[in-house]
Amino acid sequence: MKLWSFHGGLPSLAEHKNESVNLPIETAPIPKTLIYPLGQHIGNAAKPLVQVGDKVLRGQKIAAAQGVVSAPIHAASSGTVSKIADHLIPHPSGFSAPSITIKTDGLDAETDYTPHADFQQLTAPQLVDIVREAGIVGLGGAAFPTAIKLNTQSKAVDIDTLILNGAECEPYISCDDRLLKERTSRIIEGIEILLHMLGAKRAILAVEDNSPDTFSSIQEAINSNNNLAINATQIPTIYPTGGEKQLIQTLTGKEVPSGKIPTDIGIVSINVGTVYAIQQAVIEGKPLTSRIITVTGEGVNKPHNLEVRIGTPISALIDVCHGYTKQAERLVMGGPMMGFALSSDSIPVVKATNCILVASQHEVVTEKQAMPCIRCGLCASACPVSLSPQQLYWFSRSDQLDKAAQLNLSDCIECGCCDVVCPSHIPLVQHFRYAKSALKVQNHEKQLSNIARERFEAREERLARDKAERAERSRKKKAALKNKPAKEEIDAAVSRSKTKKNSIDNEG
Amino acid sequence: MQFLTSNAPFIAPQNSVQKMMLWVLIALMPGIITMVWQFGYGVLANIIICVSTALIAETIMLRLRGRALGPALSDLSAVVTAVLLALALPTLAPWWIPFIGTFIAIVIAKHLYGGLGYNPFNPAMVAFAILMVSFPKSMTVWVLPHSLLPTGISFSDIVAIVLDQQPKQTLIDAITAATPLDEMKTQLGLNQTVEEIRASSIFASLSGRGWQWVSIAFLLGGLILLFKRIISWHIPVGLLAGLFTISFAFYLLEPSVTPSPLFHLLSGGAMLGAFFIATDPVTAATTPKGRFIYGVLIGLLTYIIRTWGGYPEGIAFAVILINMAVPLIDYYTPPRTYGHK
Amino acid sequence: MSFFILIILFAALGILLGYAAIRFKVEGDPLVDKIDALLPQTQCGQCNFPGCRPYAQAIADGEADINQCPPGGEAGIAALADLLGVEPKPLNEDNGVEKATLVAVIDENTCIGCKLCIQACPVDAILGAPKHMHTVIEAECTGCELCIPPCPVECITMEPVTKTLALWEWEKPDTSQAKAKS
């Protein structure tokens, strides 16, 4: 199969896959509590459907989607709702946000599922509904509600290619790899469901060339499945080839126009974990309540690949891995390039969690002394989006955010390639994250000040109007007084009171 | 269990300024060894004086600016500047030439503009230009290659000359001469043809005797840097292509009174400039297209200064002048972002 | 001879300039609009003008300096300096200091419903009626503090804006160089 290449990237990034790639998936035990932050996907937070004290079953919907860009949340085991309150969330801000806490009863009783073994009979909108109701979001880490991605009926461009993203390019993570090795037939079935749903002409399942065994398993499964529309290919192991835009460029040579989505050029790209979840939702009728997670790093005694109930506190997973070692230094959700450090292991696993990396001191660098930028341009050669990180750095550093925006700061995928190659050890991605969030806040403040200006002008107008009306009224009065001489008014008033007095006397 | 947090990426950086500078020094070795082989130990004296002055000047400036010494000194950027200047200076220049030059390069051209990363002009070339203009006589006195010397120079003679101990003028006259570039320019001005000029013993088959091997050695070093991805190909290829093209064009027009393009490429500081001096990251253009244009402009300007300017070698002035154009070049050559036209 | 050539040349250039002045003339006073777009619209009057637009007009007329606005802060002064092509200068501390945006909060236990604060608010951000409870609409409050002096029972305080996840910002990385240990 013909492959293209993307600009830049880190071909020599140490992969650290050996720590976990040969560990088969084990099932993590049901934890004592399950915690569900209501905003664990892109879009609006879900709204709770249960109250404290309610009994829930596994697979029961406990929070409903709010609006189109949102997703429902389902309980991963049976138990009682113990709290609906703020809880620490897995977010770099370290904030707490409203979450539903369930105390499990250990029975793991399930709600009734509606399987659809014969998915070919369902229409695309029906299938999209199933995906939406199952609460499926992108499990590659982005957590975008998948139903919106798959709702391509109203789009102008027909979907030509379905890409299945099995290119796990971040170091340490091997959950997708194990899924592809162990549950291959179900993933192939998921691909068929997607092909039927999207009406795409072909599907390409891409894996990196550092796991030839996985590729053989996939090829075997595809050959026995006999669907000519499904292909698999190996792609060169260059970080970040698993990034959606870079993967699309590698497999099709096309670029997603800035500000647009792959659907606009007839492509849909889905992570293999999400495909598995879709298969489970359609064929077995099961909503998204568990996922595969790699727990690895020198900070745990025994790394594992685990099937975890979503909502499990991280501490429970560490227990499965025989606890922390003495060198545990950082608790990272995600990989070492794009993940973020968590402050506590009481934080729960959410739908987007693909890896928990407990890193020791020599697996991570926790502090870098930045030297001045020597303008070497290595950052620009490494950037997969062909940006000029150097220029963006100068503008972010001097708070010239508008100029940074002009240089396409918003196209930065925060992959970290520039950061790792910089010889002056400048924390480039940090600068860009700061600049992007500062721009967001700046735009918000601009909007607020525009509204304030409108309100101020409206108020000025109202006051001026009131003043003018008052002036008009008194002017009219004065004019009226001027027209009639005073004496006439007084005579008329006197005769009026005389008449009244007479009539009262007459009656009395 | 609680944890401290910090920001991604958590992977250790792959490169460092120190590593890059070390490779530059390693890549300069072939050229330095060839210079010693062809011209004697004088160049080592330059290097020793320049490097020690650079480290002292850097320390003083860092102290004055209140900066930590460790990271700034160990990144070797001052050492590289010093060595490049030492290689550009005449091999038996009196000690105060490299001393003053290095002082100018580190204090004025580097630190007074803000230190590493902030100087707009190449420090080694600024120092060279100032020395050239202020001490023209000392700067145009170059040692003849060994093969042309009647007898060898003894070590004590070298020391005496370097320490400016008023050695015998006859000794100096015997062992020094104008460079091949200088000779070519002067004689062309006296209406000689290239063929006649090339007959002189200071010329060899490719360019100047001795100098051609030094240039080839620097070319080799430059290829090492390219291979190790310390520099990108745009500036060297641009510079050499620019220099080649313009010299080839004039050569075609009037071959009898124009030195060949090969002569230009292998003379003077062309190779050293293309791979080591113009590629100084701080002062060069940053975008790939911009770098190529930057290289071409320097190549063109070098030829112009060499042929019609007031000095026999144009690299230093060309680099400084095109350094001025770098912000403009960068502004008009941004890379095309993914997803944009 | 060359004298006449010069005269003709200068005349031609003069005509060209005159034509350009008429053909490319810009109507109205867009400068005031541009300046007003850079001001924070707090309408607080700390600049000694009755609102942001009068201050913008004064800057455009050259009657006011660019460093009079505390809510705009250093960033605002820099933006004005950039627009007008002048050097930025430090904020005039006589007018106030730059501080994080605060919003007014009315203590409902103390409020007597006198309407004085409602009349004072330049953006009508206070909801209420005579003898009825008054409350500040947090989203519309610009933090100008003009409601505080008129209140006869001193029931209004300035509080920081509640932080939301949607508007959380990353911290700017430290860009200072390694300093020498003193």
Side-chain angles (χ1 to χ4, degrees):
Chain A
M1 171 174 280
K2 177 164 184 213
L3 293 175
W4 289 256
S5 62
F6 60 90
H7 179 264
L10 298 176
S12 54
L13 189 62
E15 294 159 33
H16 290 286
K17 302 277 187 183
N18 292 330
E19 283 88 326
S20 59
V21 77
N22 294 315
L23 301 171
I25 301 172
E26 288 176 35
T27 312
I30 302 166
K32 292 204 177 41
T33 48
L34 290 166
I35 306 154
Y36 295 95
L38 292 168
Q40 52 179 277
H41 45 257
I42 292 182
N44 303 323
K47 190 160 158 221
L49 289 172
V50 296
Q51 289 171 331
V52 175
D54 284 358
K55 290 224 182 318
V56 294
L57 297 170
R58 179 181 190 184
Q60 179 179 336
K61 196 198 290 194
I62 56 174
Q66 294 294 297
V68 175
V69 189
S70 186
I73 301 178
H74 300 80
S77 191
S78 55
T80 319
V81 177
S82 62
K83 261 199 304 219
I84 303 182
D86 277 358
H87 190 282
L88 268 180
I89 54 168
H91 189 269
S93 63
F95 273 19
S96 298
S99 313
I100 301 176
T101 308
I102 298 176
K103 199 150 165 288
T104 53
D105 57 16
L107 300 171
D108 208 26
E110 294 184 310
T111 183
D112 298 317
Y113 300 133
T114 321
H116 292 278
D118 198 5
F119 65 88
Q120 303 277 8
Q121 302 298 323
L122 298 171
T123 63
Q126 284 173 317
L127 287 165
V128 170
D129 268 339
I130 295 177
V131 171
R132 183 182 306 116
E133 278 311 302
I136 297 179
V137 299
L139 297 183
F144 184 75
T146 310
I148 303 178
K149 224 181 195 181
L150 298 175
N151 191 5
T152 55
Q153 297 294 312
S154 53
K155 293 289 178 184
V157 182
D158 282 334
I159 302 301
D160 168 86
T161 307
L162 168 66
I163 293 178
L164 294 323
N165 191 343
E168 225 168 6
C169 55
E170 275 242 33
Y172 290 97
I173 310 181
S174 58
C175 53
D176 286 348
D177 194 69
R178 293 309 313 180
L179 193 62
L180 284 168
K181 270 206 185 89
E182 297 179 31
R183 305 187 188 180
T184 332
S185 52
R186 276 173 273 182
I187 300 214
I188 304 291
E189 194 171 18
I191 298 178
E192 304 224 276
I193 297 172
L194 283 166
L195 278 173
H196 173 70
M197 213 190 294
L198 299 169
K201 294 199 196 63
R202 60 173 183 160
I204 310 176
L205 170 53
V207 289
E208 284 188 323
D209 60 15
N210 58 1
S211 51
D213 300 331
T214 314
F215 187 60
S216 325
S217 322
I218 295 171
Q219 280 203 307
E220 262 181 57
I222 289 178
N223 290 337
S224 53
N225 182 269
N226 236 336
N227 184 340
L228 290 172
I230 303 181
N231 309 292
T233 181
Q234 287 188 304
I235 54 178
T237 305
I238 306 177
Y239 177 83
T241 194
E244 189 176 68
K245 293 189 170 171
Q246 282 61 48
L247 187 62
I248 289 175
Q249 191 171 28
T250 307
L251 295 174
T252 66
K254 295 190 192 155
E255 291 184 14
V256 181
S258 171
K260 298 257 193 318
I261 52 175
T263 324
D264 293 325
I265 54 172
I267 298 173
V268 173
S269 168
I270 309 273
N271 171 275
V272 293
T274 316
V275 173
Y276 180 78
I278 292 174
Q279 189 266 354
Q280 292 286 291
V282 171
I283 303 292
E284 316 239 350
K286 291 185 180 164
L288 176 61
T289 55
S290 68
R291 65 158 300 157
I292 317 295
I293 298 182
T294 306
V295 185
T296 180
E298 286 178 6
V300 286
N301 280 308
K302 207 164 174 301
H304 274 78
N305 278 311
L306 295 169
E307 175 146 29
V308 178
R309 303 288 173 106
I310 293 171
T312 307
I314 294 175
S315 49
L317 299 179
I318 306 293
D319 291 337
V320 175
C321 296
H322 301 219
Y324 294 108
T325 61
K326 283 206 182 32
Q327 300 110 348
E329 184 75 27
R330 286 283 184 277
L331 181 65
V332 176
M333 178 174 294
M337 292 296 287
M338 292 178 72
F340 51 89
L342 300 172
S343 58
S344 159
D345 60 7
S346 64
I347 293 176
V349 146
V350 291
K351 293 178 183 176
T353 310
N354 52 3
C355 174
I356 300 289
L357 168 62
V358 189
S360 68
Q361 213 175 37
H362 58 85
E363 279 184 312
V364 292
V365 61
T366 53
E367 220 178 71
K368 300 191 284 200
Q369 173 58 48
M371 298 286 283
C373 167
I374 61 169
R375 298 161 44 88
C376 64
L378 283 175
C379 52
S381 351
C383 179
V385 187
S386 302
L387 292 168
S388 184
Q390 196 194 106
Q391 283 302 106
L392 293 174
Y393 164 69
W394 289 120
F395 289 136
S396 305
R397 186 199 153 107
S398 57
D399 282 314
Q400 293 177 289
L401 302 171
D402 295 324
K403 291 219 173 89
Q406 268 173 4
L407 280 181
N408 304 323
L409 172 67
S410 53
D411 284 314
C412 168
I413 60 174
E414 296 178 27
C415 64
C417 290
C418 53
D419 219 289
V420 168
V421 297
C422 177
S424 296
H425 306 173
I426 299 173
L428 290 166
V429 189
Q430 262 317 96
H431 280 279
F432 305 152
R433 289 188 191 122
Y434 156 74
K436 281 187 193 174
S437 65
L439 263 175
K440 184 180 67 179
V441 171
Q442 208 185 56
N443 284 336
H444 176 77
E445 286 181 0
K446 196 122 207 90
Q447 267 188 338
L448 284 183
S449 70
N450 284 340
I451 294 175
R453 183 185 296 116
E454 276 177 33
R455 291 182 75 92
F456 178 70
E457 285 172 1
R459 178 174 179 268
E460 295 281 289
E461 222 182 295
R462 187 197 75 209
L463 291 175
R465 218 176 32 233
D466 284 346
K467 200 160 165 205
E469 280 175 11
R470 268 200 303 272
E472 184 64 16
R473 274 201 299 268
S474 77
R475 190 192 65 80
K476 277 209 183 99
K477 254 222 183 99
K478 277 213 185 87
L481 279 172
K482 260 210 203 100
N483 288 338
K484 286 199 193 139
K487 192 169 182 316
E488 265 189 44
E489 285 287 308
I490 295 173
D491 285 346
V494 166
S495 58
R496 267 204 307 272
S497 62
K498 266 206 188 119
T499 327
K500 222 190 236 163
K501 198 161 176 265
N502 286 343
S503 61
I504 291 172
D505 283 346
N506 286 345
E507 281 169 24
Chain B
M1 178 162 158
Q2 301 291 107
F3 285 88
L4 292 171
T5 58
S6 52
N7 297 311
F10 298 97
I11 304 257
Q14 289 180 343
N15 299 315
S16 67
V17 178
Q18 186 185 61
K19 225 167 59 162
M20 287 175 74
M21 295 293 129
L22 261 176
W23 271 106
V24 171
L25 291 173
I26 292 173
L28 282 171
M29 285 301 163
I32 296 176
I33 294 171
T34 314
M35 271 190 100
V36 171
W37 168 42
Q38 291 287 324
F39 294 96
Y41 297 107
V43 70
L44 293 180
N46 275 356
I47 294 178
I48 293 171
I49 299 173
C50 282
V51 171
S52 28
T53 316
L55 289 173
I56 295 171
E58 183 96 342
T59 310
I60 296 174
M61 287 312 292
L62 288 170
R63 273 265 154 74
L64 285 175
R65 295 177 71 197
R67 298 251 192 276
L69 291 179
L73 277 180
S74 62
D75 70 15
L76 298 180
S77 56
V79 173
V80 169
T81 306
V83 172
L84 288 174
L85 179 60
L87 293 174
L89 293 174
T91 33
L92 280 186
W95 65 273
W96 46 269
I97 290 269
F99 177 73
I100 293 178
T102 315
F103 204 77
I104 294 172
I106 301 294
V107 174
I108 298 178
K110 183 175 165 189
H111 277 280
L112 288 186
Y113 278 101
L116 180 68
Y118 293 97
N119 46 300
F121 300 108
N122 190 311
M125 291 300 102
V126 167
F128 185 87
I130 293 178
L131 288 173
M132 193 64 154
V133 166
S134 318
F135 310 109
K137 189 125 172 296
S138 309
M139 290 289 286
T140 48
V141 160
W142 291 77
V143 173
L144 283 166
H146 268 194
S147 47
L148 293 180
L149 288 177
T151 49
I153 338 171
S154 67
F155 186 71
S156 54
D157 282 333
I158 295 179
V159 172
I161 296 173
V162 167
L163 290 181
D164 212 9
Q165 304 269 331
Q166 303 300 340
K168 315 176 254 306
Q169 191 58 38
T170 45
L171 174 66
I172 301 203
D173 288 340
I175 60 175
T176 60
T179 59
L181 266 182
D182 199 354
E183 181 72 10
M184 176 70 74
K185 188 171 179 162
T186 324
Q187 296 302 325
L188 281 174
L190 296 174
N191 289 323
Q192 299 264 332
T193 64
V194 170
E195 198 139 338
E196 288 164 0
I197 302 170
R198 292 299 292 280
S200 156
S201 57
I202 60 168
F203 293 91
S205 51
L206 298 173
S207 66
R209 191 177 295 270
W211 287 110
Q212 63 194 17
W213 302 119
V214 173
S215 291
I216 291 176
F218 281 132
L219 171 62
L220 201 68
L223 292 174
I224 295 176
L225 281 187
L226 270 179
F227 181 69
K228 284 305 265 183
R229 293 179 188 274
I230 304 292
I231 59 175
S232 69
W233 60 266
H234 304 86
I235 297 180
V237 169
L239 199 155
L240 295 174
L243 185 55
F244 179 84
T245 311
I246 188 173
S247 58
F248 191 58
F250 282 99
Y251 180 70
L252 286 179
L253 281 176
E254 292 190 21
S256 58
V257 289
T258 316
S260 70
L262 195 62
F263 178 79
H264 271 287
L265 287 180
L266 291 179
S267 294
M271 285 298 168
L272 182 67
F275 289 95
F276 296 92
I277 295 179
T279 52
D280 171 40
V282 177
T283 52
T286 54
T287 62
K289 275 196 286 264
R291 282 179 168 168
F292 186 75
I293 295 173
Y294 172 79
V296 168
L297 286 175
I298 294 180
L300 295 177
L301 197 53
T302 303
Y303 182 83
I304 292 171
I305 296 176
R306 277 181 180 179
T307 316
W308 299 291
Y311 295 94
E313 174 53 283
I315 284 276
F317 297 104
V319 167
I320 296 174
L321 286 170
I322 305 298
N323 280 156
M324 281 198 276
V326 159
L328 195 70
I329 295 174
D330 275 344
Y331 183 79
Y332 281 109
T333 57
R336 183 192 69 84
T337 312
Y338 176 108
H340 289 257
K341 287 274 176 288
Chain C
M1 184 58 204
S2 50
F3 176 72
F4 289 112
I5 296 178
L6 280 175
I7 293 282
I8 294 170
L9 195 65
F10 292 152
L13 287 172
I15 292 172
L16 197 66
L17 279 174
Y19 171 72
I22 297 171
R23 166 83 170 79
F24 297 115
K25 183 175 167 53
V26 178
E27 289 304 329
D29 197 353
L31 185 61
V32 180
D33 289 331
K34 283 196 193 139
I35 296 176
D36 191 43
L38 294 174
L39 296 176
Q41 304 305 316
T42 313
Q43 317 289 356
C44 59
Q46 286 179 293
C47 55
N48 301 317
F49 290 91
C52 299
R53 190 137 192 117
Y55 178 46
Q57 183 72 55
I59 296 178
D61 294 341
E63 286 163 7
D65 211 342
I66 60 171
N67 65 340
Q68 306 296 332
C69 176
E74 296 294 330
I77 295 174
L80 285 170
D82 202 33
L83 174 72
L84 300 169
V86 296
E87 279 299 303
K89 44 174 86 155
L91 180 63
N92 182 356
E93 303 255 308
D94 294 340
N95 292 342
V97 289
E98 180 178 5
K99 47 185 188 216
T101 314
L102 303 170
V103 289
V105 180
I106 292 177
D107 178 11
E108 306 203 332
N109 291 326
T110 327
C111 174
I112 59 171
C114 70
K115 254 193 51 134
L116 290 174
C117 60
I118 294 181
Q119 288 165 337
C121 177
V123 292
D124 282 340
I126 305 185
L127 200 59
K131 302 278 194 330
H132 285 70
M133 184 55 64
H134 299 343
T135 188
V136 176
I137 307 172
E138 185 180 343
E140 308 292 357
C141 173
T142 63
C144 71
E145 300 187 23
L146 288 174
C147 54
I148 300 193
C151 177
V153 295
E154 290 179 7
C155 72
I156 308 183
T157 47
M158 301 302 293
E159 310 278 320
V161 183
T162 33
K163 287 205 179 305
T164 56
L165 193 59
L167 288 176
W168 172 77
E169 271 184 271
W170 285 95
E171 231 180 70
K172 187 171 179 184
D174 180 25
T175 48
S176 60
Q177 295 302 306
K179 292 271 183 276
K181 297 191 186 41
S182 45

